[in-house]
Amino acid sequence: MKFCKKYEEYMEGQCRNKKLPRVGLKKLKKILKRCRKCHQSRSVVGLSGDNNIVHDSSSCSQHQCSVCDGSFFPSLLKEMSEVVGSFNKRAQKLLELHLSSGFRKYLILLKEKIQGNHIALVQEGKDLVTYAIINAIAVRKILKKYDKIHYSKQGQAFKSQAQSMHIEILQSPWLCELMAFHINLRENKAKNGKALALFDGCSLVFKEGKPSLTCELFDSIKLDIDLTCSICLDTVFDPVSLTCGHIFCYICACKVASVTIVDGLQAANHKEKCPLCREEGVYESAVHLEELNILLSRSCPEYWKERLQTERVERLRLAKEHWESQCRAFMGV
């Protein structure tokens, strides 16, 4: 069975219970098919001698294709944005439910109409991961088809553009959180021998003392997320993911963003840049990786205990400095 048919069947099954955005593979393939026919007809005209114009497909590597670029890329961009937005929203709700307790958890269950038992949480997580992967594959395949028809690399260039716009679903911080969520659930249930996996091959790996999250997904997709803070050069503590996808310790990110831990990253100036990729405006919507924080605290207990003590001292010092400066400003000193 071809991937397009598999994709359509999967999305039809998902949309019976939930209205989920999707990549319009059929529509995009029709655009490319129309483009191919146009190119072929131009070539025939040129070869017959009726016209001196011969369409050279290789020219699409330097120039835009007037036949399909006006509809292909804008349509795909819109669909990718909707897909990643839906994924992020659903993953956030699921993880919020898993981490909540008491009356707050009851309110979430009542509002979102989600079952709160372990099996239901695992199933929802599995559905989310499958949704992310199958849409990532769909985008990869349609862009590959675009480049094949046009003999160009514009499809790959578009993929890079999508990554810079933060609509590449495999770059989502919520996928990283789901990976940590999976490992946490697996470890919680391992003693009972009833561990339910979201996806296979996901693990926390230490290489020369440096941790990373790795996950081998189907169709040759592999994720490898480095968990070393590039600012303090240690394992990330109280990790946050910036909108560019890079992960840092919360205190380290606050220092680089020139904000206090009291004000938080949302108070960062829009012109502040990520220390790795130098992209601006990446701090305001940073995501706190709570599941990853739990996973690392369990996997590195001695380091976590030591870091927690030093972190408390540092946070008290920074908070004291902040409120002293606020008092001086208020008093006009």
Side-chain angles (χ1 to χ4, degrees), residues 231-276:
I231 300 172
C232 65
L233 303 179
D234 218 332
T235 300
V236 287
F237 183 89
D238 193 13
V240 291
S241 175
L242 308 186
T243 53
C244 58
H246 293 117
I247 300 174
F248 304 97
C249 305
Y250 176 69
I251 281 188
C252 294
C254 287
K255 288 179 180 177
V256 172
S258 303
V259 295
T260 66
I261 59 170
V262 179
D263 292 330
L265 294 174
Q266 66 274 10
N269 190 303
H270 188 74
K271 293 184 178 180
E272 295 293 343
K273 300 177 181 179
C274 169
L276 285 179

Side-chain angles (χ1 to χ4, degrees), residues 10-28:
Y10 168 79
M11 291 306 302
E12 286 296 331
Q14 289 292 304
C15 290
R16 286 172 190 168
N17 301 319
K18 307 168 187 174
K19 291 183 179 180
L20 299 176
R22 65 170 78 181
V23 176
L25 280 184
K26 285 185 177 180
K27 179 181 68 177
L28 294 171

Side-chain angles (χ1 to χ4, degrees), residues 105-114:
K105 187 169 187 175
Y106 173 76
L107 286 177
I108 296 172
L109 290 171
L110 194 64
K111 181 181 178 181
E112 304 298 337
K113 298 179 181 179
I114 303 173

Side-chain angles (χ1 to χ4, degrees), residues 10 16 23 34 54 57 67-68 79 90 100 106 118 152 165 173 192 230 243 260 279 281 286 315 333:
Y10 168 79
R16 286 172 190 168
V23 176
R34 186 172 67 247
V54 179
S57 295
V67 181
C68 65
E79 289 162 358
R90 289 174 63 198
S100 62
Y106 173 76
H118 175 74
S152 75
M165 295 173 67
N192 300 328
S230 60
T243 53
T260 66
E279 183 178 343
R315 291 196 179 208
V333 178

Side-chain angles (χ1 to χ4, degrees), residues 3 46 62 78 85 177 193 215 222 231-232 259 277 313:
F3 175 79
Q62 289 94 24
K78 180 175 180 292
E177 274 286 82
C215 187
K222 183 178 180 180
I231 300 172
C232 65
V259 295
C277 63
V313 173

Side-chain angles (χ1 to χ4, degrees), residues 8 46 67-68 72 83 88 92 113 121 130 143 158 169 175 182 192 195 204 215 218-219 249 257 284 295 299 317 321:
E8 293 299 329
V67 181
C68 65
F72 180 86
V83 166
N88 289 344
Q92 186 176 4
K113 298 179 181 179
L121 289 177
T130 305
L143 289 176
F158 174 81
I169 199 164
L175 186 57
H182 158 69
N192 300 328
L204 178 65
C215 187
F218 59 82
D219 202 55
C249 305
E284 297 95 318
L295 174 61
S299 304
R317 184 184 68 80
E321 288 180 358

Side-chain angles (χ1 to χ4, degrees), residues 50-314:
D50 296 333
N51 197 322
N52 292 325
I53 298 174
V54 179
H55 178 82
D56 181 8
S57 295
S58 63
S59 66
C60 291
S61 59
Q62 289 94 24
H63 306 286
Q64 288 187 345
C65 175
S66 59
V67 181
C68 65
D69 280 13
S71 54
F72 180 86
F73 286 125
S75 179
L76 182 57
L77 192 69
K78 180 175 180 292
E79 289 162 358
M80 288 177 67
S81 180
E82 290 174 349
V83 166
V84 75
S86 173
F87 170 79
N88 289 344
K89 187 177 180 180
R90 289 174 63 198
Q92 186 176 4
K93 288 179 180 178
L94 172 67
L95 296 169
E96 184 181 4
L97 174 61
H98 180 241
L99 293 169
S100 62
S101 60
F103 186 67
R104 183 165 174 262
K105 187 169 187 175
Y106 173 76
L107 286 177
I108 296 172
L109 290 171
L110 194 64
K111 181 181 178 181
E112 304 298 337
K113 298 179 181 179
I114 303 173
Q115 290 184 338
N117 61 69
H118 175 74
I119 296 176
L121 289 177
V122 171
Q123 185 59 48
E124 176 67 10
K126 186 183 292 185
D127 290 345
L128 277 170
V129 172
T130 305
Y131 177 75
I133 296 168
I134 201 167
N135 278 286
I137 295 171
V139 170
R140 187 174 67 174
K141 285 186 177 293
I142 199 66
L143 289 176
K144 188 176 180 180
K145 190 174 185 67
Y146 178 96
D147 283 346
K148 184 178 179 180
I149 288 175
H150 294 84
Y151 300 95
S152 75
K153 294 183 179 179
Q154 288 190 46
Q156 294 304 311
F158 174 81
K159 188 176 181 181
S160 300
Q161 180 189 355
Q163 290 174 347
S164 66
M165 295 173 67
H166 318 304
I167 57 172
E168 167 58 61
I169 199 164
L170 295 182
Q171 281 189 320
S172 170
W174 297 107
L175 186 57
C176 173
E177 274 286 82
L178 280 175
M179 291 167 65
F181 167 68
H182 158 69
I183 299 173
N184 288 335
L185 283 182
R186 186 177 62 193
E187 291 180 354
N188 287 343
K189 293 295 178 179
K191 294 181 180 180
N192 300 328
K194 297 180 180 179
L196 295 174
L198 295 180
F199 37 91
D200 297 326
C202 182
S203 59
L204 178 65
V205 178
F206 288 86
K207 294 180 181 178
E208 298 179 357
K210 302 294 183 181
S212 64
L213 268 180
T214 63
C215 187
E216 294 182 5
L217 310 172
F218 59 82
D219 202 55
S220 304
I221 294 180
K222 183 178 180 180
L223 298 178
D224 194 353
I225 303 171
D226 184 21
L227 299 179
T228 299
C229 176
S230 60
I231 300 172
C232 65
L233 303 179
D234 218 332
T235 300
V236 287
F237 183 89
D238 193 13
V240 291
S241 175
L242 308 186
T243 53
C244 58
H246 293 117
I247 300 174
F248 304 97
C249 305
Y250 176 69
I251 281 188
C252 294
C254 287
K255 288 179 180 177
V256 172
S258 303
V259 295
T260 66
I261 59 170
V262 179
D263 292 330
L265 294 174
Q266 66 274 10
N269 190 303
H270 188 74
K271 293 184 178 180
E272 295 293 343
K273 300 177 181 179
C274 169
L276 285 179
C277 63
R278 309 305 297 165
E279 183 178 343
E280 295 182 351
V282 294
Y283 293 98
E284 297 95 318
S285 301
V287 177
H288 244 108
L289 304 177
E290 301 289 351
E291 289 284 352
L292 180 59
N293 197 49
I294 294 171
L295 174 61
L296 290 172
S297 67
R298 291 175 175 176
S299 304
C300 321
E302 293 182 3
Y303 163 76
W304 216 254
K305 185 177 179 180
E306 180 182 345
R307 183 72 184 263
L308 187 62
Q309 292 176 347
T310 57
E311 195 86 0
R312 282 174 178 169
V313 173
E314 180 68 5

